[in-house]
Amino acid sequence: MDSIHNLFNIGNGPSSSHTMAPQKAAAIFLKRHPDADFFLVELFGSLALTGKGHLTDYVIKKTLGESRTKIVFNLQQSYNYHTNAMKFKAFKDDIQLEKWLVFSVGGGALKELDEPRSFSKEEVYPHKTMAEILEYCQSENINLVEYVNRYDKNIRDYLEIVYDSMDKTIAKGLIATDVLPGRLKVKRKAAAFYELYLKEKTFSKLLYTYALATAEENASGGIVVTAPTCGASGVLPAVLFACRDYHNISKEKIIDGLMIAGLFGNLIKFNASISGAEVGCQGEIGAACSMAAAAEAYFLGGNNEQIEYAAEIALEHHLGLTCDPVDGVVQIPCIERNAIAGAKAFDAANYALMTSGKHFISFDKVVEVMKETGYDLQAKYKETSTGGLATK
Ligand code: SF4
């Protein structure tokens, strides 16, 4: 597995796979052909079906140049490797300079055709499953934070930046009261929720408020941290910062929580998928809930086994969750889903802490099942907006 750094990307929403990664790909291609006089970009699969609502065409044109870029939404062709394919072509004086096929595989990551998904050029962790990590930690008598520190050199410095970015996003989302972009005319709710929290200060009210603040910022194209994706970016900050502000958890401990959350997110990314277009929302909100539950279990004083159990429960109880955003925008059901998953993460952690940590289904097993379930889901439930809530 590579560094947690590559899981927590900071950038503009609303989608890591449909906005951040296409923007990154367009920037790479532009660097290779700065003098091209025309770019043709074909979008396939989920990118073709929901790219408009997710601003894929907008960010590509903005990066390559509005006047010299044409986008084609190809609804006929698809690739088995991953649904989110993009074909970039550059021309100069009517001569094709290059054709580049690249895939947005989730969380802002890019891969080329048939490039192994679980292999990274920047591997820093020698272990590939939670079972291996737990065994190693036991033999070395270390906890999961010490484990991450041991292999992911200097990650703390980057996580300080992640912490600040999440904090800023919540602060921004708390004061915005406008209507979100798109035809649904969804009004932001975070500020109103915060007012209600101030009247009756409960932990869950603060948690919902922070989740909405981030998810609404994401939906408006604001800056968020992929945790592990943009669509699910509200879950982890809600749990972390509600714990900070309600339970006085220190910044240092919150950063420890980011390490633990990142470790679980990384395992899901490398052994299954965090792409809604590939495995449905269980890979986004389910993964985010699992990461947040692990961090919360750590804050509650859980040992390695209890933390692993919390992460397992949170993912297990999102199995089969479909991705069916209404009108192809990351708003309904996504925003509300972030708030509810935050509360679920808290429950999963509390439950795990009432046990010794011993349990039947391991985290690794549930990750495997999540992947299988996701592959079995019909395409209409995987970020295509052609089924489920999107068609009601
Ligand atoms: S339904 Fe879930 S996976 Fe789909 S766009 Fe919304 S948050 Fe992402």
Side-chain angles (χ1 to χ4, degrees):
M1 290 192 301
D2 61 8
S3 169
I4 285 169
H5 191 298
N6 296 337
L7 184 78
F8 292 127
N9 294 301
I10 301 169
N12 288 89
S15 169
S16 40
S17 57
H18 288 52
T19 321
M20 273 189 197
Q23 190 167 26
K24 204 194 286 178
I28 293 170
F29 201 61
L30 178 66
K31 217 170 174 187
R32 289 190 213 156
H33 307 290
D35 301 327
D37 45 39
F38 181 63
F39 292 105
L40 180 67
V41 185
E42 256 182 289
L43 302 174
F44 303 84
S46 165
L47 287 177
L49 281 157
T50 59
K52 268 247 169 280
H54 287 60
L55 308 180
T56 312
D57 53 337
Y58 168 77
V59 292
I60 291 176
K61 278 187 169 182
K62 201 175 132 201
T63 309
L64 294 177
E66 180 89 27
S67 58
R68 59 174 174 172
T69 307
K70 187 180 172 194
I71 309 278
V72 175
F73 295 91
N74 189 331
L75 299 169
Q76 272 74 48
Q77 204 185 336
S78 63
Y79 291 86
N80 288 336
Y81 174 72
H82 193 288
T83 173
N84 285 340
M86 298 170 272
K87 197 182 276 171
F88 288 81
K89 288 178 187 169
F91 298 88
K92 186 153 180 77
D93 302 327
D94 289 333
I95 292 166
Q96 187 176 302
L97 303 173
E98 191 195 349
K99 180 168 77 180
W100 184 42
L101 179 64
V102 65
F103 296 80
S104 165
V105 297
L110 295 169
K111 292 272 180 191
E112 296 200 344
L113 186 64
D114 295 334
E115 194 179 332
R117 298 284 299 283
S118 56
F119 174 75
S120 159
K121 290 168 197 138
E122 302 160 55
E123 296 223 348
V124 296
Y125 293 97
H127 307 103
K128 295 189 171 15
T129 63
M130 186 41 71
E132 289 174 20
I133 293 171
L134 287 177
E135 199 185 320
Y136 176 77
C137 288
Q138 198 182 13
S139 69
E140 295 286 306
N141 198 22
I142 56 172
N143 68 23
L144 292 172
V145 173
E146 290 167 312
Y147 173 79
V148 173
N149 268 321
R150 188 168 289 188
Y151 290 109
D152 219 333
K153 303 284 179 225
N154 306 322
I155 191 64
R156 258 200 120 75
D157 294 346
Y158 178 65
L159 293 180
E160 293 246 358
I161 298 169
V162 166
Y163 175 99
D164 288 342
S165 181
M166 287 178 164
D167 203 13
K168 271 190 205 139
T169 302
I170 291 176
K172 232 176 142 204
L174 281 184
I175 51 167
T177 52
D178 53 329
V179 170
L180 295 172
R183 293 188 306 187
L184 301 177
K185 305 280 173 238
V186 173
K187 195 169 172 349
R188 293 192 191 225
K189 292 190 183 69
F193 267 52
Y194 193 57
E195 287 295 314
L196 291 171
Y197 162 73
L198 291 176
K199 280 186 195 143
E200 194 191 320
K201 292 188 173 175
T202 65
F203 179 74
S204 56
K205 281 195 171 73
L206 191 62
L207 183 76
Y208 298 150
T209 302
Y210 285 177
L212 292 182
T214 302
E216 288 171 355
E217 271 301 295
N218 176 62
S220 73
I223 291 185
V224 294
V225 179
T226 57
T229 64
C230 286
S233 60
V235 183
L236 182 61
V239 170
L240 298 180
F241 289 87
C243 281
R244 180 193 67 180
D245 297 342
Y246 200 87
H247 295 305
N248 294 319
I249 306 268
S250 66
K251 179 175 176 181
E252 199 178 323
K253 201 136 192 210
I254 298 288
I255 290 178
D256 287 350
L258 277 170
M259 287 187 180
I260 296 214
L263 183 63
F264 282 90
N266 242 2
L267 285 164
I268 298 171
K269 179 179 169 185
F270 282 92
N271 293 319
S273 171
I274 54 166
S275 163
E278 190 171 34
V279 294
C281 198
Q282 50 170 2
E284 295 204 16
I285 288 284
C289 186
S290 184
M291 293 162 66
E296 175 66 31
Y298 171 73
F299 296 154
L300 292 171
N303 60 30
N304 291 352
E305 285 70 28
Q306 288 167 321
I307 292 170
E308 184 261 0
Y309 190 18
E312 186 280 320
I313 294 170
L315 186 57
E316 182 185 325
H317 297 284
H318 279 96
L319 284 178
L321 188 66
T322 55
C323 169
D324 44 5
V326 176
D327 212 33
V329 292
V330 192
Q331 296 176 11
I332 301 173
C334 321
I335 295 172
E336 187 181 274
R337 214 168 253 187
N338 276 267
I340 302 305
K344 238 176 166 177
F346 187 68
D347 283 341
N350 271 326
Y351 186 104
L353 266 285
M354 291 180 77
T355 74
S356 65
K358 283 205 182 349
H359 57 108
F360 194 77
I361 312 274
S362 69
F363 175 78
D364 294 327
K365 276 235 157 63
V366 86
V367 169
E368 201 184 313
V369 170
M370 190 273 276
K371 185 180 179 184
E372 283 170 17
T373 309
Y375 279 44
D376 284 345
L377 280 177
Q378 291 181 36
K380 64 180 179 176
Y381 299 121
K382 294 194 277 192
E383 215 162 352
T384 56
S385 288
T386 55
L389 298 170
T391 53
K392 298 295 169 213

